Amino acid sequence: KRLHQRIRELEKYLEYSGSFDLQFLLAYVSYQIGDLSRAQEAIAEAQKKQPEDQAVLAMQKVIQNAL
């Protein structure tokens, strides 16, 4: 329950900031807890912000392989 509360807080901060780092973090955390749909959406948004970022490309592959 506490983790899901923190994820909601992360999403709230992300709405205000549009931060690439928070977007990537949301993708990573979502992947780790098995929420692949949210992870896929978050990493797609992160890639829009920094399309050549190697961490984003690697995370995108990991998420795709898990689907």
Side-chain angles (χ1 to χ4, degrees):
K1 181 178 176 178
R2 190 170 189 182
L3 175 62
H4 293 287
Q5 180 182 4
R6 296 290 185 223
I7 291 171
R8 285 192 297 277
E9 289 173 8
L10 174 61
E11 290 173 326
K12 179 181 171 184
Y13 291 128
L14 184 55
E15 280 182 40
Y16 293 113
S17 71
S19 165
F20 164 79
D21 294 325
L22 292 179
Q23 194 73 60
F24 184 84
L25 179 60
L26 179 60
Y28 177 79
V29 170
S30 298
Y31 170 76
Q32 290 295 318
I33 65 170
D35 188 345
L36 299 179
S37 176
R38 180 188 281 156
Q40 189 174 31
E41 290 174 18
I43 203 65
E45 289 300 315
Q47 188 175 26
K48 288 178 187 176
K49 294 174 182 172
Q50 293 196 23
E52 302 300 320
D53 188 274
Q54 293 302 307
V56 170
L57 297 174
M59 191 68 199
Q60 192 172 41
K61 285 181 186 178
V62 169
I63 294 168
Q64 287 294 339
N65 289 339
L67 292 173

